[in-house]
Amino acid sequence: MKSKSPKRKVNDTIPKVSYYRKPKDMGIDEYQILLRKQYAETQKFEIRKLSPEQVYADYNVQQQGSKQWHRVALRHPNPGLNFCTCLDFKTNQLGTCKHIEYVWVYLKEKKIPVKQIANVPVPIHSSLYIKYGATRQVMLRIGSTNTEKLIQWKNKYFDRNQILDEQHFENIDSIIKEAQTIDENFRCNDDALAFILQQRDDVLRKKKIEALPQNSIFKKLIKVSLFPYQLEGALFAARAGRSLIADEMGLGKTIQALAAAELLRHINGINSVLIICPTSLKYQWLSEIEKFTKSQASVIEGPMHVRAGQYRNQSFYKIASYNAAGNDHKLINHERFDLIILDEAQRIKNWRTKISYSIKQLQSKHIIVLTGTPLENRIEELYSVVQVIDQFRLGPLYRLLHNHQHIDESTNKVVGYKDLHKLGTLLSEFTIRRNKSVVSNQLPERMVKTLFVPMTQAQRDLHNSFQADVSQIVNRWKRKGFLTEEERQKLMILMGQMRMVCDSTYIIDQETRHDTKVEELMNILEEAIFETDQKAVVFSQWERMTRLVAQELDARGIEYEYLHGGIASKNRKDLLEHFRNKRSSKIFLSTDAGGVGLNLQSASLLVNLDLPWNPAVLEQRIARVHRMGQQRKVQIINMVSMDTIESQMIAKLEFKQAMAKGILDKGQDVIFMDESSFTKFMQLVESTMPPPSSEDSTNTATVTQSDVAQEIATERETFTSSKVDNPTNRQMALPFESAEGNPPADVSVPDFQPEEIVKAGAAFFEKLQLVIHKENGLQMLVKSITKRDETTGQTYLNLPVQSEESVAGFLKMLAAMMNK
């Protein structure tokens, strides 16, 4: 029978209280009970009575607007003996909830006689049930059948308050069977049985782990050696079964979780693990699993009907994003995963969000939660994260806040916290947290992590378009055995474009904004700077990429220093001083314009948004943080886009070495590469390129060579002999020309002062001398200014110039000199 909530007036017998402020003369529990009664009176519910002939029966109750029905078992007019399946009832320790209170409202509106309500029946059957309070206890309720025999029997297992002693949990099966021989209708409620089995499994699992050779067991389970603190963390998580690893960023929470999973597989025979992480980290987890374990793993992605099949595949690890898991929580619960690993769990710190709610509906015997920042701003965030592990451990939220918040009585605002050591004690049974200072003697001086991130489809389309054009050039080289200088320059520009779009489409066109690295960087930085003394340096080759990061930092109110080619030398000192000495200056954001010797050792985290082709540049970046005088362990995170030229560079170390020895060695351009080096380089380029679709395919991306030139010039600044201090000079650092030999329209050519001309000329002759005196340098220079006809093979001079007018001017000057 289904009944909608009838129109009604608020019961005048219930005092009105504010939802936002507790009356001063009212206890916290009394206040919370009144709030639920008031809510039941004023909100709309639907109700289905499951036993029409009785008052004390089971009801299904649903608040209007909610999709979830809750079963209410009404057993007594006083709180404590009634039951509701909602989470609030199980955790609030009040013995009631809004659903139970609504049943009473419903009965009063039905004008049920007082005598009928006062006539509380004794249940026919006896049962085991959970009493929800500060701790959960398994209780015995004796019914009206075979009462005397059950009273005699209960003394063997229950205390005088009819609480089942935990030492008997191990034999619960035989205890239930024994009771059923007395009363065949004796039963154990589902939540009571689940609690008993969980407690029993916890004891058994801990015994198994204690019996293992703990110092050597992981050598058989994973491919790498664990640091001592990581061994401790993995054992802790496996023992606890449901745990929070809250180590500071950079201490290897991932490997600890995987080691714990492999141990649970070894001792408990678990068959399936679901890893839930941010979208940008799915393939990072896949890479880590392949690196550290011998187990199979797969990524959950695609439309829902495809994901449904993926959850059922045979791989031990399955990796899903928060959005997918939130939408698929019913599918996931149907598959009954043995272990769920929740990475970057601060994503569910806001318990009001739909994803947070859905994730907390997931069911699994074991769970490992990973976050370096379980509490960032408010205790409610910590409470939300802990709910996933143990929804009972911290008690009701209202009591937690009441016990640990300092409230300004005049404004009713939170002004501080108290008794946090008690909170730490509550967490200690299932939480392990270490920071770098505690385990510093176990860490290497320098820890490097490659973080693989996916690209958006827009990025992927541009990258593939550039890649197709590179493949065309490679094909021409294979057929002819050489490339013209124009083709070589085009090749370098296209490969530069491929790298740029790995960061963001904004670098290419300055109009669109498709990227994933910036968001992932913000997650890293927000976790890193949670530690008050932690500072980070962020590098990108592309100035436009650093602009995007600066915008995000501004939006979040994070203080930072920003160094790029447009910062004058005289102002750079102030940036460094602020970063070293100001506690609030957490981030140093920089292009490679800083030059060698920049001292950033006050930081202990370095994030490379992109990797330079020249390994020397990468080492220069690292040396700015990891240098003499550095007192901390340094963590380096290299961001690499999946299945792109970036990941191919990582996979082929030779490729980077060839680039360093050829194109970028001491700032030399591709024209100074000897043919044997260029041939090797082209072979490596070929190995990273897929076959082209057609010879005549063209690049459909809208980008000018001058855009690419400006951005590529940023990296060149590191290698030019004179450093640049402003945007104008930055464009002068490398004189790019268009394919027709004219300066790009949007690259300004500033006026030269006489002394600048002299300096430029001197620098030219110095570089010319270096090239000529280098081994094979003269031959390389000759090849760079000559060109071979593709059909005749004849060689002739090929000097790039800005325009025909500039040639005419040069010839006039030469003629005048000859006439003198």
Side-chain angles (χ1 to χ4, degrees):
M1 183 176 73
K2 177 179 176 181
S3 172
K4 287 193 173 182
S5 172
K7 293 182 180 179
R8 57 187 181 275
K9 296 181 180 179
V10 177
N11 190 332
D12 293 334
T13 61
I14 299 176
K16 310 299 184 298
V17 291
S18 168
Y19 284 106
Y20 307 103
R21 186 191 295 259
K22 180 181 72 66
K24 293 182 180 180
D25 58 346
M26 187 175 290
I28 185 67
D29 286 357
E30 180 186 0
Y31 172 60
Q32 290 294 323
I33 291 172
L34 280 178
L35 287 178
R36 285 156 178 79
K37 289 183 177 181
Q38 186 170 288
Y39 196 87
E41 286 279 358
T42 57
Q43 302 301 310
K44 292 183 178 180
F45 292 81
E46 292 186 358
I47 190 167
R48 295 171 179 168
K49 189 176 180 183
L50 303 181
S51 303
E53 71 283 356
Q54 298 177 2
V55 172
Y56 292 101
D58 289 349
Y59 300 80
N60 281 344
V61 180
Q62 180 188 58
Q63 185 176 351
Q64 197 170 77
S66 170
K67 296 180 180 180
Q68 190 168 4
W69 289 86
H70 292 283
R71 181 175 63 84
V72 171
L74 200 66
R75 299 290 182 262
H76 200 277
N78 296 328
L81 294 178
N82 300 313
F83 173 79
C84 180
T85 56
C86 76
L87 181 60
D88 179 55
F89 173 80
K90 294 176 180 178
T91 59
N92 66 32
Q93 301 177 12
L94 299 172
T96 190
C97 65
K98 63 184 179 182
H99 304 102
I100 292 174
E101 293 303 326
Y102 176 72
V103 173
W104 288 117
V105 170
Y106 169 80
L107 292 174
K108 290 174 183 177
E109 289 171 346
K110 289 292 184 181
K111 297 182 179 179
I112 304 297
V114 175
K115 290 183 178 180
Q116 192 173 345
I117 293 177
N119 184 22
V120 180
V122 176
I124 297 174
H125 62 267
S126 300
S127 62
L128 294 179
Y129 70 98
I130 288 280
K131 180 180 180 182
Y132 294 94
T135 59
R136 285 173 290 169
Q137 297 173 319
V138 180
M139 306 282 292
L140 172 66
R141 178 185 289 116
I142 296 179
S144 59
T145 305
N146 297 314
T147 303
E148 293 184 3
K149 291 183 178 180
L150 284 169
I151 290 175
Q152 294 176 358
W153 164 82
K154 78 177 182 65
N155 293 330
K156 293 167 36 179
Y157 307 108
F158 298 83
D159 66 14
R160 60 183 180 180
N161 295 315
Q162 302 194 150
I163 299 173
L164 179 64
D165 194 312
E166 291 187 6
Q167 66 178 342
H168 298 303
F169 284 4
E170 186 175 354
N171 302 315
I172 188 61
D173 299 333
S174 60
I175 291 173
I176 293 174
K177 288 180 180 179
E178 190 176 335
Q180 287 175 341
T181 60
I182 301 172
D183 177 5
E184 63 179 4
N185 292 316
F186 183 92
R187 65 191 186 192
C188 180
N189 290 348
D190 291 343
D191 57 340
L193 183 59
F195 173 70
I196 293 169
L197 295 179
Q198 178 190 324
Q199 297 294 102
R200 188 174 70 178
D201 287 349
D202 287 348
V203 172
L204 182 60
R205 183 180 60 256
K206 289 173 183 177
K207 287 181 179 179
K208 288 181 179 179
I209 292 175
E210 293 304 323
L212 292 172
Q214 297 181 6
N215 292 329
S216 61
I217 183 61
F218 288 109
K219 293 180 180 179
K220 302 176 182 178
L221 302 178
I222 56 177
K223 298 178 183 178
V224 295
S225 297
L226 298 175
F227 292 115
Y229 76 89
Q230 293 175 331
L231 173 66
E232 177 192 17
L235 288 170
F236 177 90
R239 277 194 213 97
R242 304 178 70 85
S243 65
L244 169 62
I245 301 179
D247 288 345
E248 183 182 359
M249 188 184 70
L251 294 185
K253 294 187 285 291
T254 299
I255 183 60
Q256 293 178 66
L258 292 176
E262 295 294 330
L263 181 57
L264 288 172
R265 186 183 199 178
H266 177 69
I267 63 168
N268 265 22
I270 68 172
N271 295 312
S272 56
V273 179
L274 177 65
I275 298 167
I276 302 173
C277 63
T279 302
S280 58
L281 295 183
K282 288 192 299 184
Y283 285 93
Q284 176 67 22
W285 269 96
L286 183 63
S287 174
E288 302 276 276
I289 292 167
E290 292 171 349
K291 179 180 178 181
F292 297 137
T293 78
K294 304 170 187 176
S295 302
Q296 289 186 327
S298 59
V299 173
I300 306 296
E301 55 192 358
M304 181 173 283
H305 71 278
V306 174
R307 299 198 303 269
Q310 292 171 343
Y311 286 117
R312 294 192 295 270
N313 71 36
Q314 296 301 308
S315 57
F316 181 61
Y317 295 101
K318 298 175 184 68
I319 308 162
S321 68
Y322 275 96
N323 286 333
N327 291 327
D328 300 345
H329 66 273
K330 291 182 179 178
L331 285 173
I332 292 170
N333 285 339
H334 183 265
E335 296 305 318
R336 303 186 68 83
F337 283 89
D338 297 317
L339 167 64
I340 292 177
I341 298 175
L342 207 62
D343 191 20
E344 300 290 347
Q346 62 271 22
R347 302 293 173 94
I348 60 164
K349 64 185 180 183
N350 185 350
W351 56 272
R352 294 180 178 87
T353 64
K354 180 180 178 181
I355 288 180
S356 179
Y357 177 81
S358 296
I359 294 298
K360 290 170 189 176
Q361 306 305 305
L362 299 180
Q363 300 167 10
S364 179
K365 182 182 293 185
H366 306 102
I367 189 164
I368 300 175
V369 174
L370 308 177
T371 175
T373 54
L375 190 154
E376 291 183 280
N377 301 303
R378 302 175 301 158
I379 287 181
E380 294 97 310
E381 296 172 352
L382 174 65
Y383 185 86
S384 183
V385 172
V386 170
Q387 270 190 311
V388 179
I389 303 164
D390 187 341
Q391 58 196 14
F392 304 101
R393 180 70 60 171
L394 296 182
L397 178 60
Y398 75 85
R399 185 168 290 144
L400 184 74
L401 298 179
H402 178 74
N403 291 339
H404 296 288
Q405 284 183 341
H406 272 302
I407 304 293
D408 185 314
E409 293 187 1
S410 60
T411 63
N412 202 42
K413 291 183 177 180
V414 178
V415 294
Y417 297 97
K418 59 186 177 180
D419 293 335
L420 294 181
H421 63 283
K422 293 182 179 178
L423 188 55
T425 301
L426 284 173
L427 296 173
S428 62
E429 290 186 26
F430 61 87
T431 302
I432 187 167
R433 176 169 174 80
R434 283 75 55 90
N435 56 45
K436 291 190 181 79
S437 62
V438 172
V439 298
S440 60
N441 62 332
Q442 301 178 35
L443 296 175
E445 294 294 327
R446 171 170 151 179
M447 298 173 288
V448 181
K449 178 179 182 180
T450 300
L451 181 62
F452 291 100
V453 296
M455 291 201 300
T456 65
Q457 190 58 50
Q459 287 175 283
R460 177 70 60 192
D461 292 343
L462 271 176
H463 180 275
N464 291 349
S465 175
F466 298 140
Q467 188 177 59
D469 284 354
V470 170
S471 295
Q472 297 297 331
I473 295 176
V474 170
N475 269 6
R476 286 198 288 273
W477 169 78
K478 287 173 64 179
R479 291 198 317 270
K480 301 172 184 177
F482 70 94
L483 292 177
T484 66
E485 181 56 32
E486 182 179 334
E487 289 170 334
R488 293 188 183 198
Q489 293 283 7
K490 184 179 180 182
L491 174 66
M492 296 311 302
I493 288 175
L494 286 168
M495 295 183 73
Q497 289 172 324
M498 290 173 68
R499 294 180 59 217
M500 292 176 194
V501 80
C502 288
D503 277 3
S504 177
T505 57
Y506 177 81
I507 302 176
I508 298 291
D509 58 24
Q510 296 190 80
E511 294 180 357
T512 61
R513 168 76 193 277
H514 301 283
D515 51 66
T516 57
K517 285 186 179 180
V518 176
E519 179 185 358
E520 192 53 47
L521 172 68
M522 291 303 111
N523 294 329
I524 292 170
L525 294 181
E526 287 178 350
E527 180 176 343
I529 66 175
F530 174 69
E531 297 296 327
T532 57
D533 59 349
Q534 174 95 337
K535 294 194 176 190
V537 177
V538 179
F539 274 113
S540 175
Q541 176 180 332
W542 321 117
E543 184 271 337
R544 292 175 190 170
M545 186 64 171
T546 60
R547 258 187 263 166
L548 297 180
V549 175
Q551 291 171 8
E552 294 295 330
L553 293 172
D554 288 335
R556 288 165 168 77
I558 298 174
E559 188 173 343
Y560 63 97
E561 309 302 328
Y562 187 11
L563 175 62
H564 53 81
I567 302 295
S569 295
K570 63 181 180 180
N571 296 328
R572 297 185 181 190
K573 181 180 178 182
D574 293 338
L575 297 182
L576 295 172
E577 289 298 321
H578 290 165
F579 186 64
R580 289 176 192 145
N581 301 323
K582 286 182 65 177
R583 191 181 183 88
S584 58
S585 183
K586 297 284 191 180
I587 311 295
F588 194 94
L589 177 61
S590 179
T591 64
D592 291 311
V596 182
L598 188 65
N599 188 338
L600 298 171
Q601 65 187 37
S602 53
S604 57
L605 170 65
L606 169 64
V607 181
N608 289 305
L609 289 169
D610 38 67
L611 295 181
W613 271 339
N614 191 341
V617 183
L618 181 59
E619 286 303 315
Q620 288 168 9
R621 291 181 180 180
I622 295 171
R624 298 172 194 181
V625 176
H626 189 254
R627 58 193 298 138
M628 290 295 293
Q630 175 60 265
Q631 301 297 314
R632 306 182 186 191
K633 312 295 183 181
V634 173
Q635 184 184 12
I636 300 152
I637 298 178
N638 298 324
M639 285 194 175
V640 174
S641 292
M642 289 290 297
D643 300 323
T644 65
I645 190 172
E646 285 190 330
S647 54
Q648 291 156 359
M649 286 164 58
I650 290 290
K652 295 181 178 292
L653 182 60
E654 297 173 64
F655 184 89
K656 293 175 64 179
Q657 292 171 339
M659 298 293 287
K661 291 178 180 177
I663 300 168
L664 297 177
D665 185 29
K666 295 184 179 179
Q668 295 174 359
D669 204 349
V670 67
I671 59 174
F672 294 121
M673 184 184 291
D674 62 72
E675 286 303 319
S676 62
S677 295
F678 185 73
T679 298
K680 183 178 180 181
F681 164 68
M682 288 301 297
Q683 290 170 344
L684 289 166
V685 172
E686 180 187 4
S687 70
T688 65
M689 294 295 123
S693 56
S694 69
E695 173 65 20
D696 297 323
S697 66
T698 57
N699 186 358
T700 58
T702 57
V703 58
T704 65
Q705 286 191 2
S706 59
D707 287 333
V708 182
Q710 281 185 282
E711 289 302 331
I712 292 179
T714 307
E715 181 171 319
R716 307 287 182 128
E717 292 169 356
T718 307
F719 303 101
T720 51
S721 58
S722 58
K723 300 305 169 190
V724 289
D725 295 328
N726 57 63
T728 301
N729 284 340
R730 192 164 73 89
Q731 292 174 359
M732 291 165 49
L734 191 64
F736 281 89
E737 295 178 341
S738 66
E740 295 75 27
N742 296 318
D746 57 348
V747 177
S748 60
V749 181
D751 295 331
F752 283 90
Q753 297 300 322
E755 61 272 17
E756 291 176 332
I757 297 174
V758 174
K759 288 180 181 178
F764 167 75
F765 285 112
E766 286 177 7
K767 291 181 180 180
L768 187 61
Q769 264 193 325
L770 287 173
V771 171
I772 292 174
H773 286 90
K774 182 179 177 181
E775 184 180 359
N776 299 324
L778 182 59
Q779 294 92 325
M780 293 162 60
L781 180 59
V782 170
K783 288 182 179 180
S784 73
I785 61 175
T786 59
K787 186 173 183 179
R788 184 171 61 172
D789 187 274
E790 297 182 23
T791 56
T792 67
Q794 184 176 354
T795 302
Y796 56 90
L797 284 174
N798 181 40
L799 296 173
V801 294
Q802 288 187 348
S803 65
E804 292 181 1
E805 290 77 8
S806 64
V807 175
F810 172 75
L811 292 175
K812 287 179 182 179
M813 181 185 69
L814 184 61
M817 291 174 63
M818 292 175 66
N819 289 333
K820 286 186 178 180

